[in-house]
Structure formats: structure tokens, C-alpha cells
Amino acid sequence: MKDVKELLKTIRNNELAVKEHKDELMYAGILQQGLLPRQRHFDRIFEESFLIYKPKNYVSGDFYWIGEKNGIRYFASADCTGHGVPAAMLSVLGYSLLNYALYNADLASPSEILQKVDCKFIESFDFDGTAHTTNDWIDMSLCAFDPGKMTLTFCGANRKALVISEKMSHVLPGNRYPIGGWQLEEYRDFREHTIDVCPGDWVYLGSDGYQDQFGGLMGKKFGSSRLHAMLKSIARFSGTDQKVFLQEHLGTWTNGREQTDDICLMGIKIS
């Protein structure tokens, strides 16, 4: 009887510990989302936009960021190593470094901003002059839209961007390395691309979370090709309708399967 009582006590203690851990994660998720831009912040800068942001487990290693300086409108999405609490901590660091690069370091071009973020990210893990031994990194897409010149400048760290216009689409390639991570180079050169855009064009940035969700009849990944084709088919719709369609389609695709990764997908309409 004593052994049974001890077992029941252990089970109750474990249940309480699990509940406390879950409550802490839920509150941490609220705090994390409190740091990120709200829809009203998007509405101040962009005429139309949508965002799908779905952490895998309460907190997320994916994050998004927007900014404006000297009439140039900036927007970014990023995917940090892993998911859960460690990745969420990296997301807070990455978010703050983007703000630092644009507003404190007074940089303007996406390539300069990513270079500064990369350097500061590495410095953050340099303790007492000894470089960090972990392989933490951030995949990031960063765009700068100049409404006066009607140009879009993109720079990616291991991520791409998709631009869809009325008659055609562009996949803007990123650099083949992330922010941070193991580096053989002393200084990374992040190259950017500038294209002309027109009112009504849509720009899509995101992590690999949506396309990496397993589902369908064969239980395979959704895939980037399928995602790009779907975005091309719905780009004529409003941002609200695109978001609803993407969320519903994701639910149909996964069909109750567990979410495999954090999801962040952003759409910005050029105006």
C-alpha cells in the first residue's frame, strides 16, 4: 500500500510539473508575440498585407520584422536554429539586431544590414575572446521597398523571395549561407538584388515551415514548388482572402497530423 501511495504521489507531482512547464511556455509565447509587430503596425506602413505565424510549441524560432526609415519600407522574415525555447531566444536576438542595424548603426541597404546582423550575431557568442562552439544560425529574408523609385531590393541569408506580378513571377535568390553558424570566411559578403516593381505586385517571404509540413495522401512534404504555384494562383485575391485560403489548405493538407516546425509566411502588396 505504501508503494502505491508513493507511486500516486509521484504521478501527481509529475502532472503538476508538466502543467507548470506548459503554463510557462504559454506565457513565454504571449511575451514573444508582444515583441513582434501587430497588424496595425503593418497597416501603418503597407496598404495591404497578411501574415501566417504558427509556433510549433507555444514559442517560435521563426519571427518577422518591419521598419521604415527615410521613406524606405523594410520587411523581413527569419527562421532560427531548431524550435522551442532556445530558438525563441535566438529570435529575440535576431529581432533586436535588425532594429540595431537599421536605426542605431544607421544602415540602409539590405546587404549592409545583413552583414551587420551577421557580425553582431557572432559577437554575441564570443565570450572572453573565445568564439562560440555551437552552430546556431538564422536563415533570413530582408526586403527594402522604395515607393519613390518603385524598386524592391532583396537580400537573403539562405532564403529566397517570391515576387508575383500580373503577368509573371520572380524568385529572387539569396546567399547560400545563413546569419551566424560555422564560418570559414572572416567576413561574409551578402549580395542583394534590386528589381522594378509595380502597384499590385505581391512579395512573399517566409520560413520553410509551411512547405515542410507533411500531409496529403502519401504523407509527403508540401514542398516549395507546390507552395509557389499556389501563391501564383491566389495572388489576385485580397490579403485577407489569401491568408484564409492558405490556412484552410494547410489544415486540409496536414489532416490532423502534428505540426512539424514553426511556420511564418508573409505577403506584402506593393502600392
Side-chain angles (χ1 to χ4, degrees):
M1 182 63 69
K2 182 178 180 180
D3 291 340
V4 173
K5 289 182 178 180
E6 289 295 329
L7 177 60
L8 292 175
K9 181 179 179 181
T10 300
I11 292 174
R12 283 195 295 270
N13 288 339
N14 288 340
E15 289 175 345
L16 289 173
V18 170
K19 183 181 183 303
E20 182 178 355
H21 180 62
K22 182 179 178 179
D23 290 344
E24 289 175 349
L25 282 175
M26 291 178 65
Y27 186 55
I30 294 172
L31 294 176
Q32 184 185 29
Q33 293 201 38
L35 295 172
L36 299 174
R38 306 286 181 88
Q39 186 59 51
R40 66 176 182 271
H41 301 133
F42 279 87
D43 294 342
R44 290 173 187 166
I45 301 177
F46 307 106
E47 180 178 311
E48 192 171 357
S49 63
F50 75 83
L51 175 75
I52 297 175
Y53 180 72
K54 292 173 62 67
K56 181 181 185 296
N57 291 314
Y58 305 107
V59 293
S60 177
D62 290 359
F63 71 93
Y64 53 95
W65 173 90
I66 58 175
E68 184 176 21
K69 188 178 73 172
N70 298 329
I72 309 300
R73 303 165 188 175
Y74 298 85
F75 52 102
S77 71
D79 183 357
C80 302
T81 315
H83 43 76
V85 174
M89 296 296 289
L90 288 177
S91 77
V92 174
L93 174 61
Y95 187 89
S96 65
L97 290 178
L98 280 169
N99 280 328
Y100 170 81
L102 180 64
Y103 298 114
N104 296 89
D106 199 27
L107 301 176
S109 74
S111 62
E112 291 177 329
I113 291 172
L114 286 196
Q115 285 168 355
K116 178 61 70 174
V117 170
D118 182 58
C119 291
K120 288 295 183 181
F121 184 86
I122 294 171
E123 287 178 10
S124 298
F125 297 96
D126 188 350
F127 307 115
D128 299 324
T130 303
H132 73 100
T133 57
T134 58
N135 189 28
D136 299 311
W137 72 85
I138 304 178
D139 294 336
M140 188 178 294
S141 303
L142 174 62
C143 287
F145 169 54
D146 186 335
K149 298 179 179 179
M150 289 302 292
T151 58
L152 180 82
T153 301
F154 167 76
C155 190
N158 210 31
R159 295 302 300 161
K160 302 175 182 178
L162 176 64
V163 182
I164 298 178
S165 62
E166 184 178 353
K167 296 182 179 180
M168 62 187 301
S169 63
H170 306 270
V171 175
L172 304 179
N175 299 275
R176 294 184 178 180
Y177 34 77
I179 300 295
W182 286 323
Q183 296 191 12
L184 298 177
E185 315 92 339
E186 181 178 355
Y187 179 77
R188 279 182 173 168
D189 180 24
F190 288 89
R191 298 184 179 182
E192 62 186 25
H193 304 272
T194 300
I195 62 171
D196 295 326
V197 289
C198 298
D201 292 353
W202 277 89
V203 185
Y204 300 94
L205 306 179
S207 68
D208 57 6
Y210 194 107
Q211 65 201 44
D212 281 356
Q213 296 305 303
F214 289 95
L217 296 176
M218 305 300 293
K220 294 183 177 181
K221 289 184 178 181
F222 192 81
S224 59
S225 297
R226 184 182 280 109
L227 176 59
H228 287 182
M230 188 166 64
L231 290 172
K232 291 176 187 178
S233 71
I234 64 174
R236 65 185 184 276
F237 300 148
S238 69
T240 299
D241 289 343
Q242 289 187 54
K243 179 175 181 177
V244 170
F245 180 90
L246 288 164
Q247 289 177 319
E248 291 180 348
H249 195 83
L250 180 64
T252 302
W253 175 260
T254 56
N255 192 26
R257 289 181 175 87
E258 182 182 359
Q259 186 173 328
T260 57
D261 198 359
D262 302 318
I263 296 175
C264 181
L265 180 60
M266 174 193 297
I268 301 292
K269 187 177 183 179
I270 298 297
S271 59

